[in-house]
Amino acid sequence: MLRFLAQRVGSLIGSLLVASLVIFLVIEVVPGDPAAVMLGVNARPDTIAALRAELGLDGSAVSRYLSWVAGMLQGDFGVSYTYRTPVAEMIADRLWVSVPLALYALCLTVAIAIPAGLLAASRRGRMGDYGVIGVTQIGIAVPNFWFAMILILIFAINLRWFSAGGFPGWDEGIGAGLRALTLPAIALALPQAAILTRVMRSALVDVLGEDFMRTARAKGLSQSAAIWRHGLRNGLIPVLTIIGLQFAFLLAGGIIIEQVFALPGLGRLIFQAISQRDLIVVESVVMLLVFAVILTNFLVDLAYAVVDPRLRKHP
Amino acid sequence: MSVLAVQSLCVEAHGKPLLKDVSFTVGAGEIVAITGESGSGKSMTALSVMRLLPHRVEQTSGTILLDGQDLGALSERAMCQIRGGRIGMVFQEPMTALNPVQTIGDQVAETVWLHSGATRDQARARARDMLNRVGLNEDSFPLSRYPHELSGGQRQRVVIAMAIAERPALLIADEPTTALDVTTQLQILDLLKDLVSEFHMGLLIITHDLAVVASLADRLVVMRNGEVVESGATDEVLRMQTHPYTRALFEASRHQAYLPPIPEAESGKRLLEVRDVVRRYPLPKQGMFQPRRHHVAVDRVSFTVSKGERVGLVGESGCGKSTLTRAILGLEPVQAGDILIDGVQPDRARGRVQVVFQDPYGSFNPRHRVERLIAEPFHLLPSPPNRMQRSLQVAEALEAVGLPAAAAERYIHEFSGGQRQRIAIARALILRPELIVLDEAVSALDVSVRAKILDLLADLSARYHLAYLFISHDLSVVRSITDRVMVMKAGKIVEDGPTVRILDNPDHPYTRELLAAAPRLPNFSQGRRDTHAAESI
């Protein structure tokens, strides 16, 4: 197990290094000088040069890369070209919205998909199964912003249970924060839950056909107890893979939902930074997202090993 | 009173009868075998007793009594208490019968915990006792072991421990040793026999293998097409063979194909030459700085096969026979040594060596017609025949294996297992090879079909001067179809010589062990017709 862990940590660090290099190089080749953009078309060359020096854009590529990486390791992501505030602070503010939102949506996804997948698989070929398949078809086909608008219409405008948008901040209390995130989390979760239900169902259908499920019945377990005690854990491997991918998507992919609900999240930040050519923000947010994806995969790998003992020996 | 009484059991699927009026009993301490070919309803009978019939398969009439209690009248909840509590069941495939993500201790303890309401510690203690009882001692097999760390025979012992943990009145074993090697089979059968007398339980064993039946069962039930054709004391049923089907099964089980002698002109000419062949697989490293170790699957193996010669290769699973076969077919690189077919490398002699695999279901592309499947090897020729010639040759190959030429237009799912194996042989014949490698080619077939395929192979070898390399774990088949046999153990050939001599008078202790473990059909010298010697295995 220790060896397995060491291997996975090694590959985590390696992936991060490669990713940082690729991000840096891509940003390097993007045309446009941030200093010139910030000072406008009439700026004098020496003013631009001074600003470039101030922003740290005048060194060699290698030294800039190294100082960028060294800065990140110390939590210093540089200063936004547009807002002149530390990028780390800007990102941290947004993370307070985006991470809880993604986790909230993911919890809802799992809470919907696992029981629905179990229901469909155990009623395979019967009404319950067809019902679940039909509903997931709709969930996958309909875009999440449409769900968002319907939710606002019903729960914010008609019933007035939730506000239609905005985020009061966590200072107002956890209840108020969660309340503001509920509708966006549901809108984000519905399509993801539909996908995950499908995966869960097909994984379980495969498992239910396995010989050991028959052994479990022959031992005296009822159909549902056999699924719960022996089927679920075996069916979880493909489900874990998808959950990992979904978390990464939910973290940054909520850009339209953030827009619909006027939430100050990471998606909106990166969208604004790109349009304002605030490359240092783009660079840092992208790096952060890459880190989140790689870290999630790492956790999924560890979860595999917890679920399936065969993977501990032969990763 | 009998432990199990099945009375006039009828089972249907979509209105089609699967079991018709099946009746038999199993007494306490008695071993009853149900035998018959695939589709005869053996397993369906066992599943009916467990009330675990597949979806849309229903019992339409008849009663099943366990110690006088009608199982059909029980609720599903009460039936769950019976399963695993008073009826234990062991299945055919030990490799997949255990949950791969749970320890063996938890899986055995679960049966105890489910039925006795024992605490976790008590259940685990009982699981330990049961594992000890089936021969998995604590030092080598702690409760924390996972199924993937065990061999097939060891896993079957775990399944048995699970089935007997609650000391059931009845144990049902559905082909419990079919997937195991002969030596392991013998151990498992002995274990079952001991458990029956120790626990005084009834054992209902389902097997297609008459030799297993003869060595184990007190009574025998012969089934065909969902009906019981004959039943009675094993000795009597096998001796009298009153029903023609029983007689046919018995004859087919010890069928000897007539193997024509190798033509003088061919004999002694070398066809396949294997010289000091080594195949190693790297094992995962134990530590970062430790040297990598290797598993030697084939260890300096040398032999030759002459033109027209039929050679058997026997050994237990994992002995390296499949690896060696793949190397001969050019599908596996070797680390040392030479493989030559008429003096050239296998990859340049692909057309001269063809192969027939074990599984007649998995070895064909289901989306192609039979003509295309059989004609596939033509791509090995520098100038493949045109369409017309191709059809003619496919028709000829089909007729050679006893199928009508019209079969070429059909798809593979329209054929039975035996017919598919004939098609596989036709595919192997199409290029008129000199050597056909038969990798467990008759292992998946019923005895009557197997007898016909063996006859066909014997006939084809004479007609086309074919040499065979026949890989099998079944010694009776090897005796039937080969002139010479090689015995392989742990990557080495330990004995090589004429089949009759080796199977009757083996030199090597391992060969003797294999022969001793193989179950035998009894010899009833009643003069009905010429029967083979008692040692005929």
Side-chain angles (χ1 to χ4, degrees), chain B residues 457-479:
Chain B
L457 289 172
D459 173 49
L460 292 174
S461 81
R463 238 193 301 168
Y464 298 109
H465 305 303
L466 287 170
Y468 292 143
L469 180 61
F470 199 98
I471 292 98
S472 183
H473 69 280
D474 186 338
L475 297 171
S476 66
V477 170
V478 169
R479 178 187 283 274

PDB file of all heavy atoms in Angstrom, chain B residues 457-479:
ATOM      1  N   LEU B 457     -11.735 -35.971 -36.337  1.00  0.00           N
ATOM      2  CA  LEU B 457     -10.303 -35.615 -36.344  1.00  0.00           C
ATOM      3  C   LEU B 457      -9.465 -36.806 -36.800  1.00  0.00           C
ATOM      4  O   LEU B 457      -8.514 -36.647 -37.587  1.00  0.00           O
ATOM      5  CB  LEU B 457      -9.859 -35.161 -34.955  1.00  0.00           C
ATOM      6  CG  LEU B 457     -10.392 -33.794 -34.511  1.00  0.00           C
ATOM      7  CD1 LEU B 457     -10.044 -33.532 -33.052  1.00  0.00           C
ATOM      8  CD2 LEU B 457      -9.813 -32.694 -35.396  1.00  0.00           C
ATOM      9  N   ALA B 458      -9.823 -38.000 -36.330  1.00  0.00           N
ATOM     10  CA  ALA B 458      -9.067 -39.191 -36.712  1.00  0.00           C
ATOM     11  C   ALA B 458      -9.191 -39.409 -38.221  1.00  0.00           C
ATOM     12  O   ALA B 458      -8.201 -39.663 -38.920  1.00  0.00           O
ATOM     13  CB  ALA B 458      -9.594 -40.397 -35.948  1.00  0.00           C
ATOM     14  N   ASP B 459     -10.405 -39.241 -38.724  1.00  0.00           N
ATOM     15  CA  ASP B 459     -10.666 -39.430 -40.140  1.00  0.00           C
ATOM     16  C   ASP B 459      -9.897 -38.404 -40.988  1.00  0.00           C
ATOM     17  O   ASP B 459      -9.259 -38.737 -41.989  1.00  0.00           O
ATOM     18  CB  ASP B 459     -12.183 -39.306 -40.340  1.00  0.00           C
ATOM     19  CG  ASP B 459     -12.558 -39.326 -41.801  1.00  0.00           C
ATOM     20  OD1 ASP B 459     -12.063 -40.233 -42.502  1.00  0.00           O
ATOM     21  OD2 ASP B 459     -13.325 -38.442 -42.243  1.00  0.00           O
ATOM     22  N   LEU B 460      -9.939 -37.126 -40.546  1.00  0.00           N
ATOM     23  CA  LEU B 460      -9.270 -36.068 -41.310  1.00  0.00           C
ATOM     24  C   LEU B 460      -7.759 -36.258 -41.337  1.00  0.00           C
ATOM     25  O   LEU B 460      -7.106 -35.963 -42.341  1.00  0.00           O
ATOM     26  CB  LEU B 460      -9.600 -34.699 -40.708  1.00  0.00           C
ATOM     27  CG  LEU B 460     -11.046 -34.226 -40.852  1.00  0.00           C
ATOM     28  CD1 LEU B 460     -11.243 -32.922 -40.082  1.00  0.00           C
ATOM     29  CD2 LEU B 460     -11.406 -34.023 -42.314  1.00  0.00           C
ATOM     30  N   SER B 461      -7.230 -36.758 -40.226  1.00  0.00           N
ATOM     31  CA  SER B 461      -5.760 -36.908 -40.189  1.00  0.00           C
ATOM     32  C   SER B 461      -5.326 -37.910 -41.240  1.00  0.00           C
ATOM     33  O   SER B 461      -4.264 -37.770 -41.858  1.00  0.00           O
ATOM     34  CB  SER B 461      -5.298 -37.336 -38.785  1.00  0.00           C
ATOM     35  OG  SER B 461      -5.463 -38.714 -38.610  1.00  0.00           O
ATOM     36  N   ALA B 462      -6.144 -38.951 -41.470  1.00  0.00           N
ATOM     37  CA  ALA B 462      -5.781 -39.924 -42.497  1.00  0.00           C
ATOM     38  C   ALA B 462      -5.994 -39.329 -43.884  1.00  0.00           C
ATOM     39  O   ALA B 462      -5.151 -39.464 -44.773  1.00  0.00           O
ATOM     40  CB  ALA B 462      -6.633 -41.173 -42.324  1.00  0.00           C
ATOM     41  N   ARG B 463      -7.123 -38.617 -44.055  1.00  0.00           N
ATOM     42  CA  ARG B 463      -7.454 -38.118 -45.389  1.00  0.00           C
ATOM     43  C   ARG B 463      -6.489 -37.048 -45.878  1.00  0.00           C
ATOM     44  O   ARG B 463      -6.134 -36.968 -47.035  1.00  0.00           O
ATOM     45  CB  ARG B 463      -8.868 -37.551 -45.367  1.00  0.00           C
ATOM     46  CG  ARG B 463      -9.731 -38.263 -46.392  1.00  0.00           C
ATOM     47  CD  ARG B 463     -11.024 -37.570 -46.648  1.00  0.00           C
ATOM     48  NE  ARG B 463     -11.850 -37.406 -45.466  1.00  0.00           N
ATOM     49  CZ  ARG B 463     -12.914 -36.603 -45.479  1.00  0.00           C
ATOM     50  NH1 ARG B 463     -13.227 -35.923 -46.553  1.00  0.00           N
ATOM     51  NH2 ARG B 463     -13.641 -36.487 -44.393  1.00  0.00           N
ATOM     52  N   TYR B 464      -6.076 -36.159 -44.961  1.00  0.00           N
ATOM     53  CA  TYR B 464      -5.220 -35.035 -45.382  1.00  0.00           C
ATOM     54  C   TYR B 464      -3.787 -35.146 -44.861  1.00  0.00           C
ATOM     55  O   TYR B 464      -3.049 -34.178 -44.915  1.00  0.00           O
ATOM     56  CB  TYR B 464      -5.840 -33.719 -44.908  1.00  0.00           C
ATOM     57  CG  TYR B 464      -7.201 -33.429 -45.493  1.00  0.00           C
ATOM     58  CD1 TYR B 464      -8.346 -33.504 -44.718  1.00  0.00           C
ATOM     59  CD2 TYR B 464      -7.335 -33.075 -46.841  1.00  0.00           C
ATOM     60  CE1 TYR B 464      -9.594 -33.238 -45.259  1.00  0.00           C
ATOM     61  CE2 TYR B 464      -8.577 -32.809 -47.381  1.00  0.00           C
ATOM     62  CZ  TYR B 464      -9.708 -32.895 -46.598  1.00  0.00           C
ATOM     63  OH  TYR B 464     -10.940 -32.631 -47.129  1.00  0.00           O
ATOM     64  N   HIS B 465      -3.407 -36.301 -44.346  1.00  0.00           N
ATOM     65  CA  HIS B 465      -2.055 -36.502 -43.778  1.00  0.00           C
ATOM     66  C   HIS B 465      -1.704 -35.401 -42.793  1.00  0.00           C
ATOM     67  O   HIS B 465      -0.651 -34.772 -42.885  1.00  0.00           O
ATOM     68  CB  HIS B 465      -0.990 -36.556 -44.880  1.00  0.00           C
ATOM     69  CG  HIS B 465      -1.291 -37.585 -45.902  1.00  0.00           C
ATOM     70  ND1 HIS B 465      -1.463 -38.910 -45.589  1.00  0.00           N
ATOM     71  CD2 HIS B 465      -1.477 -37.481 -47.237  1.00  0.00           C
ATOM     72  CE1 HIS B 465      -1.752 -39.586 -46.680  1.00  0.00           C
ATOM     73  NE2 HIS B 465      -1.778 -38.748 -47.711  1.00  0.00           N
ATOM     74  N   LEU B 466      -2.626 -35.152 -41.874  1.00  0.00           N
ATOM     75  CA  LEU B 466      -2.415 -34.050 -40.935  1.00  0.00           C
ATOM     76  C   LEU B 466      -1.634 -34.511 -39.703  1.00  0.00           C
ATOM     77  O   LEU B 466      -1.817 -35.629 -39.229  1.00  0.00           O
ATOM     78  CB  LEU B 466      -3.770 -33.546 -40.430  1.00  0.00           C
ATOM     79  CG  LEU B 466      -4.616 -32.745 -41.401  1.00  0.00           C
ATOM     80  CD1 LEU B 466      -6.015 -32.549 -40.815  1.00  0.00           C
ATOM     81  CD2 LEU B 466      -3.966 -31.391 -41.623  1.00  0.00           C
ATOM     82  N   ALA B 467      -0.791 -33.621 -39.225  1.00  0.00           N
ATOM     83  CA  ALA B 467      -0.187 -33.848 -37.905  1.00  0.00           C
ATOM     84  C   ALA B 467      -0.993 -33.013 -36.912  1.00  0.00           C
ATOM     85  O   ALA B 467      -1.483 -31.937 -37.253  1.00  0.00           O
ATOM     86  CB  ALA B 467       1.254 -33.402 -37.908  1.00  0.00           C
ATOM     87  N   TYR B 468      -1.160 -33.512 -35.681  1.00  0.00           N
ATOM     88  CA  TYR B 468      -1.863 -32.756 -34.648  1.00  0.00           C
ATOM     89  C   TYR B 468      -0.955 -32.515 -33.457  1.00  0.00           C
ATOM     90  O   TYR B 468      -0.192 -33.390 -33.069  1.00  0.00           O
ATOM     91  CB  TYR B 468      -3.076 -33.540 -34.113  1.00  0.00           C
ATOM     92  CG  TYR B 468      -4.212 -33.738 -35.084  1.00  0.00           C
ATOM     93  CD1 TYR B 468      -4.929 -34.928 -35.086  1.00  0.00           C
ATOM     94  CD2 TYR B 468      -4.576 -32.743 -35.978  1.00  0.00           C
ATOM     95  CE1 TYR B 468      -5.989 -35.127 -35.960  1.00  0.00           C
ATOM     96  CE2 TYR B 468      -5.636 -32.935 -36.860  1.00  0.00           C
ATOM     97  CZ  TYR B 468      -6.334 -34.122 -36.847  1.00  0.00           C
ATOM     98  OH  TYR B 468      -7.375 -34.311 -37.712  1.00  0.00           O
ATOM     99  N   LEU B 469      -1.092 -31.319 -32.898  1.00  0.00           N
ATOM    100  CA  LEU B 469      -0.540 -31.099 -31.561  1.00  0.00           C
ATOM    101  C   LEU B 469      -1.759 -30.850 -30.693  1.00  0.00           C
ATOM    102  O   LEU B 469      -2.450 -29.840 -30.833  1.00  0.00           O
ATOM    103  CB  LEU B 469       0.404 -29.902 -31.526  1.00  0.00           C
ATOM    104  CG  LEU B 469       1.005 -29.615 -30.151  1.00  0.00           C
ATOM    105  CD1 LEU B 469       1.828 -30.792 -29.665  1.00  0.00           C
ATOM    106  CD2 LEU B 469       1.887 -28.372 -30.201  1.00  0.00           C
ATOM    107  N   PHE B 470      -2.067 -31.832 -29.841  1.00  0.00           N
ATOM    108  CA  PHE B 470      -3.340 -31.844 -29.140  1.00  0.00           C
ATOM    109  C   PHE B 470      -3.122 -31.500 -27.677  1.00  0.00           C
ATOM    110  O   PHE B 470      -2.609 -32.304 -26.903  1.00  0.00           O
ATOM    111  CB  PHE B 470      -3.934 -33.250 -29.283  1.00  0.00           C
ATOM    112  CG  PHE B 470      -5.401 -33.290 -29.023  1.00  0.00           C
ATOM    113  CD1 PHE B 470      -6.298 -33.260 -30.073  1.00  0.00           C
ATOM    114  CD2 PHE B 470      -5.890 -33.353 -27.736  1.00  0.00           C
ATOM    115  CE1 PHE B 470      -7.656 -33.293 -29.839  1.00  0.00           C
ATOM    116  CE2 PHE B 470      -7.243 -33.378 -27.498  1.00  0.00           C
ATOM    117  CZ  PHE B 470      -8.134 -33.351 -28.547  1.00  0.00           C
ATOM    118  N   ILE B 471      -3.509 -30.277 -27.299  1.00  0.00           N
ATOM    119  CA  ILE B 471      -3.291 -29.839 -25.920  1.00  0.00           C
ATOM    120  C   ILE B 471      -4.550 -30.139 -25.118  1.00  0.00           C
ATOM    121  O   ILE B 471      -5.651 -29.744 -25.516  1.00  0.00           O
ATOM    122  CB  ILE B 471      -2.981 -28.333 -25.858  1.00  0.00           C
ATOM    123  CG1 ILE B 471      -1.637 -28.064 -26.498  1.00  0.00           C
ATOM    124  CG2 ILE B 471      -2.940 -27.840 -24.426  1.00  0.00           C
ATOM    125  CD1 ILE B 471      -1.696 -27.594 -27.884  1.00  0.00           C
ATOM    126  N   SER B 472      -4.407 -30.836 -24.004  1.00  0.00           N
ATOM    127  CA  SER B 472      -5.593 -31.171 -23.223  1.00  0.00           C
ATOM    128  C   SER B 472      -5.222 -31.494 -21.789  1.00  0.00           C
ATOM    129  O   SER B 472      -4.109 -31.893 -21.493  1.00  0.00           O
ATOM    130  CB  SER B 472      -6.284 -32.378 -23.840  1.00  0.00           C
ATOM    131  OG  SER B 472      -7.466 -32.660 -23.128  1.00  0.00           O
ATOM    132  N   HIS B 473      -6.201 -31.291 -20.904  1.00  0.00           N
ATOM    133  CA  HIS B 473      -5.981 -31.741 -19.533  1.00  0.00           C
ATOM    134  C   HIS B 473      -6.673 -33.083 -19.338  1.00  0.00           C
ATOM    135  O   HIS B 473      -6.561 -33.694 -18.295  1.00  0.00           O
ATOM    136  CB  HIS B 473      -6.536 -30.700 -18.559  1.00  0.00           C
ATOM    137  CG  HIS B 473      -8.023 -30.630 -18.594  1.00  0.00           C
ATOM    138  ND1 HIS B 473      -8.696 -29.940 -19.567  1.00  0.00           N
ATOM    139  CD2 HIS B 473      -8.967 -31.198 -17.825  1.00  0.00           C
ATOM    140  CE1 HIS B 473      -9.997 -30.087 -19.383  1.00  0.00           C
ATOM    141  NE2 HIS B 473     -10.192 -30.851 -18.336  1.00  0.00           N
ATOM    142  N   ASP B 474      -7.399 -33.540 -20.383  1.00  0.00           N
ATOM    143  CA  ASP B 474      -8.214 -34.740 -20.254  1.00  0.00           C
ATOM    144  C   ASP B 474      -7.460 -35.936 -20.836  1.00  0.00           C
ATOM    145  O   ASP B 474      -7.281 -36.074 -22.049  1.00  0.00           O
ATOM    146  CB  ASP B 474      -9.528 -34.500 -21.005  1.00  0.00           C
ATOM    147  CG  ASP B 474     -10.506 -35.642 -20.806  1.00  0.00           C
ATOM    148  OD1 ASP B 474     -10.048 -36.757 -20.474  1.00  0.00           O
ATOM    149  OD2 ASP B 474     -11.712 -35.421 -20.990  1.00  0.00           O
ATOM    150  N   LEU B 475      -7.031 -36.816 -19.947  1.00  0.00           N
ATOM    151  CA  LEU B 475      -6.169 -37.921 -20.395  1.00  0.00           C
ATOM    152  C   LEU B 475      -6.919 -38.920 -21.281  1.00  0.00           C
ATOM    153  O   LEU B 475      -6.326 -39.534 -22.158  1.00  0.00           O
ATOM    154  CB  LEU B 475      -5.574 -38.637 -19.185  1.00  0.00           C
ATOM    155  CG  LEU B 475      -4.670 -37.751 -18.326  1.00  0.00           C
ATOM    156  CD1 LEU B 475      -4.293 -38.458 -17.039  1.00  0.00           C
ATOM    157  CD2 LEU B 475      -3.418 -37.373 -19.090  1.00  0.00           C
ATOM    158  N   SER B 476      -8.234 -39.057 -21.067  1.00  0.00           N
ATOM    159  CA  SER B 476      -8.953 -40.037 -21.880  1.00  0.00           C
ATOM    160  C   SER B 476      -9.027 -39.580 -23.334  1.00  0.00           C
ATOM    161  O   SER B 476      -8.945 -40.383 -24.262  1.00  0.00           O
ATOM    162  CB  SER B 476     -10.355 -40.274 -21.320  1.00  0.00           C
ATOM    163  OG  SER B 476     -11.117 -39.102 -21.451  1.00  0.00           O
ATOM    164  N   VAL B 477      -9.156 -38.283 -23.532  1.00  0.00           N
ATOM    165  CA  VAL B 477      -9.182 -37.744 -24.891  1.00  0.00           C
ATOM    166  C   VAL B 477      -7.815 -37.933 -25.556  1.00  0.00           C
ATOM    167  O   VAL B 477      -7.712 -38.313 -26.714  1.00  0.00           O
ATOM    168  CB  VAL B 477      -9.575 -36.254 -24.852  1.00  0.00           C
ATOM    169  CG1 VAL B 477      -9.382 -35.617 -26.198  1.00  0.00           C
ATOM    170  CG2 VAL B 477     -11.010 -36.106 -24.395  1.00  0.00           C
ATOM    171  N   VAL B 478      -6.781 -37.674 -24.775  1.00  0.00           N
ATOM    172  CA  VAL B 478      -5.430 -37.792 -25.305  1.00  0.00           C
ATOM    173  C   VAL B 478      -5.155 -39.260 -25.713  1.00  0.00           C
ATOM    174  O   VAL B 478      -4.571 -39.533 -26.754  1.00  0.00           O
ATOM    175  CB  VAL B 478      -4.405 -37.304 -24.266  1.00  0.00           C
ATOM    176  CG1 VAL B 478      -2.996 -37.650 -24.677  1.00  0.00           C
ATOM    177  CG2 VAL B 478      -4.554 -35.803 -24.091  1.00  0.00           C
ATOM    178  N   ARG B 479      -5.640 -40.162 -24.905  1.00  0.00           N
ATOM    179  CA  ARG B 479      -5.442 -41.572 -25.239  1.00  0.00           C
ATOM    180  C   ARG B 479      -6.138 -41.901 -26.568  1.00  0.00           C
ATOM    181  O   ARG B 479      -5.627 -42.651 -27.385  1.00  0.00           O
ATOM    182  CB  ARG B 479      -6.018 -42.472 -24.135  1.00  0.00           C
ATOM    183  CG  ARG B 479      -5.888 -43.954 -24.440  1.00  0.00           C
ATOM    184  CD  ARG B 479      -6.608 -44.787 -23.414  1.00  0.00           C
ATOM    185  NE  ARG B 479      -5.905 -44.922 -22.158  1.00  0.00           N
ATOM    186  CZ  ARG B 479      -4.974 -45.854 -21.933  1.00  0.00           C
ATOM    187  NH1 ARG B 479      -4.630 -46.707 -22.858  1.00  0.00           N
ATOM    188  NH2 ARG B 479      -4.392 -45.905 -20.758  1.00  0.00           N
TER     189      ARG B 479
END
